[in-house]
């Protein structure tokens, strides 16, 4: 946020956002879970499936707060790992 008094950028009172990516290791499909705070201050959990050459989808859920979102994110991660998915790190350039 820009302070109009001195035009310096200050950090918003936001706890760190999270992003996790999962792959089954067999296909190019990627499952991504994001926990971010929107412009209204609500915490939103987004689950997105990029099916590579297949169908893609996304679902957004407003959660009660950052802690509640982290608990949901952990629950989803455990479920994906039980289903045979592994967390992967994606790097984007540009």
């Amino acid at each position: 946020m820009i302070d109009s008094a001195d035009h310096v950028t200050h950090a918003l009172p936001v706890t760190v956002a999270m992003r996790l990516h999962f792959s089954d290791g067999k296909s190019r499909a990627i499952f991504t879970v994001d926990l971010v705070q929107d412009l209204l201050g609500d915490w939103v959990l987004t689950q997105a499936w990029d099916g590579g050459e297949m169908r893609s989808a996304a679902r957004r859920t407003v959660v009660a707060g950052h802690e509640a979102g982290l608990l949901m994110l952990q629950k989803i991660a455990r479920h994906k790992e039980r289903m045979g998915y592994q967390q992967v790190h994606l790097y984007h350039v540009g």
Side-chain angles (χ1 to χ4, degrees):
M1 164 165 123
I2 304 295
D3 186 350
S4 60
D6 61 1
H7 302 288
V8 175
T9 302
H10 297 281
L12 292 171
V14 174
T15 309
V16 177
M18 293 283 301
R19 172 176 280 176
L20 300 177
H21 301 283
F22 296 90
S23 172
D24 63 2
K26 301 172 192 167
S27 64
R28 294 189 312 159
I30 297 291
F31 181 80
T32 302
V33 183
D34 283 312
L35 177 63
V36 297
Q37 192 173 30
D38 68 11
L39 293 175
L40 300 175
D42 294 325
W43 284 94
V44 179
L45 185 80
T46 303
Q47 300 174 64
W49 177 263
D50 179 4
E53 297 173 0
M54 297 179 284
R55 201 174 265 198
S56 299
R59 176 179 25 194
R60 294 174 45 112
T61 306
V62 177
V63 295
H66 185 256
E67 292 297 320
L70 284 176
L71 289 174
M72 285 183 69
L73 193 138
Q74 290 171 349
K75 182 178 178 181
I76 291 167
R78 282 193 304 270
H79 175 72
K80 287 295 175 192
E81 289 169 358
R82 280 195 304 270
M83 299 295 290
Y85 288 80
Q86 295 198 0
Q87 187 174 349
V88 294
H89 300 282
L90 303 179
Y91 298 98
H92 299 283
V93 177

